[in-house]
Amino acid sequence: MTIDPVELATVAVTVENGIAWVSFNRPDKRNCMSPRLNRQMMRVLDDLEFREDVGVLVLTGEGTAWSAGMDLKEYFRETEVDGLGGTRKAQRESYGWWRRLRWYQKPTIAMVNGWCFGGGYGPLFACDLAFAAEDAQFGLSEINWGILPGGGAAKVATELTSFRRAMYHAMMGENIDGKTAVEWGFVNEALPLDQLKARVAEVAAVLLKKNPVALKATKDSIRRVREMTYDNAEDYLIRAQEAANSYDSEGRKEGIKQFIDDKTYKPGLGAYDKTKQR
Ligand code: COA
């Protein structure tokens, strides 16, 4: 089946030094998410997930926006004409790639270069880490056009920030900037836009040096244990580590050896050299 070139162009990808830079690529529409973009993003995630030359995925936006949320015309108005089936299909396509990203094999970083609204909170939360431009604007704008913050956005706000802030944010429809987004827990750090990419590349370079099996087990654990009792979490973590050992039983032994026997590094100060691992 041939895919419409307009649909293919909704997402841009460059792979460089182990990092896949994936961009929302509808800058003239402020990178709002249309069904075509959602379908293409899922294809891109599929293509990159198990590639040997990709160790970290960065999600960013072309132009002045990260993503202005769902496309009010193509995602809402034009799918509603197909009735419930049209709406559910559009939801499956968007929620589908966000879920895929939440549990992605590789570490993921949201590089929020500009506007981030409503539905954009889905992929924002799906990324493991998030870095923003100080001038980026975050908003639950749904209330401003007459709906509730759906598509998981209300959930994301309450997961990331306090009850009072989430309530104010959702009810008032006021934006916050990148620095406030740090204070609220939406992102890890905010930087001047011209320093953003370099900082994200630096973080990605650190992640690329870590044991990839341990990274996947770690990121899944942090997401899973949030919803567990202490005892369930303790049990999950035992099992998750033992499952990780079935894919990589040598990594942690090498990590211990390089510290205790070889004395070539200190785990408190950095990662072991995984290139020496058998
Ligand atoms: N859905 C559909 N179209 C959108 C869109 C969205 N979410 N966000 C932007 N666009 C379109 C605009 O309609 C405009 O299209 P046009 O050139 O055909 O007129 C184009 O993108 C540029 O947008 P514009 O509003 O002129 O850009 P701006 O830089 O002045 O403002 C925003 C940027 C993000 C503040 C503004 O576009 C906006 O409020 N977007 C909607 C945000 C929102 O509520 N998203 C939904 C959350 S679920």
Side-chain angles (χ1 to χ4, degrees):
M1 197 185 73
T2 50
I3 302 161
D4 169 14
V6 175
E7 185 163 320
L8 286 174
T10 55
V11 179
V13 186
T14 325
V15 176
E16 220 171 34
N17 302 325
I19 307 170
W21 301 91
V22 176
S23 306
F24 294 108
N25 191 29
R26 301 180 71 210
D28 54 335
K29 296 288 176 188
R30 304 301 177 262
N31 297 325
C32 62
M33 289 175 270
S34 60
R36 287 192 291 200
L37 181 144
N38 291 328
R39 287 193 289 272
Q40 182 57 18
M41 192 63 90
M42 184 63 118
R43 281 185 209 109
V44 166
L45 295 181
D46 248 341
D47 286 348
L48 296 170
E49 189 161 21
F50 295 100
R51 264 173 62 165
E52 297 266 321
D53 59 341
V54 173
V56 175
L57 183 144
V58 177
L59 182 60
T60 189
E62 296 297 324
T64 56
W66 191 66
S67 173
M70 309 320 292
D71 187 320
L72 269 59
K73 179 168 168 280
E74 294 186 35
Y75 179 85
F76 288 107
R77 189 199 276 168
E78 290 176 5
T79 60
E80 272 168 27
V81 292
D82 294 329
L84 183 62
T87 298
R88 289 287 179 269
K89 179 171 183 292
Q91 289 166 338
R92 259 199 304 277
E93 287 166 349
S94 53
Y95 303 174
W97 76 261
W98 304 342
R99 187 178 310 115
R100 182 69 176 277
L101 196 59
R102 282 201 300 281
W103 303 105
Y104 209 60
Q105 185 69 28
K106 311 283 167 68
T108 54
I109 304 175
M111 185 168 92
V112 185
N113 49 301
W115 304 110
C116 176
F117 284 109
Y121 283 33
L124 176 71
F125 179 64
C127 288
D128 304 320
L129 300 173
F131 293 80
E134 286 172 351
D135 294 336
Q137 293 280 314
F138 296 77
L140 286 182
S141 54
E142 286 89 339
I143 195 66
N144 294 337
W145 63 278
I147 69 162
L148 59 76
K155 175 69 172 160
V156 171
T158 57
E159 287 284 309
L160 296 181
T161 196
S162 70
F163 173 79
R164 288 289 172 220
R165 283 170 173 166
M167 195 64 95
Y168 187 94
H169 197 53
M171 291 179 72
M172 298 291 284
E174 286 175 11
N175 300 335
I176 58 169
D177 66 9
K179 281 186 183 166
T180 309
V182 175
E183 199 186 314
W184 285 25
F186 283 4
V187 300
N188 295 94
E189 288 174 31
L191 301 102
L193 181 60
D194 62 358
Q195 294 169 28
L196 184 62
K197 188 167 183 190
R199 174 64 182 137
V200 168
E202 186 181 77
V203 170
V206 173
L207 294 172
L208 286 168
K209 291 207 166 78
K210 313 283 188 203
N211 178 317
V213 175
L215 270 180
K216 169 66 172 152
T218 298
K219 57 181 253 173
D220 286 2
S221 295
I222 294 292
R223 280 190 196 271
R224 295 276 184 214
V225 299
R226 305 175 87 226
E227 294 171 0
M228 294 181 191
T229 61
Y230 194 96
D231 280 353
N232 285 346
E234 197 176 69
D235 190 55
Y236 170 85
L237 294 168
I238 289 170
R239 281 157 220 290
Q241 182 59 56
E242 288 171 2
N245 294 348
S246 72
Y247 287 103
D248 174 27
S249 65
E250 295 309 315
R252 70 200 190 291
K253 294 180 190 162
E254 181 65 27
I256 294 173
K257 174 179 167 291
Q258 288 182 19
F259 176 49
I260 299 295
D261 304 329
D262 307 344
K263 300 196 182 302
T264 48
Y265 86 114
K266 295 176 194 287
L269 303 178
Y272 75 93
D273 181 354
K274 68 176 179 173
T275 64
K276 298 213 169 102
Q277 193 176 318
R278 273 174 292 134

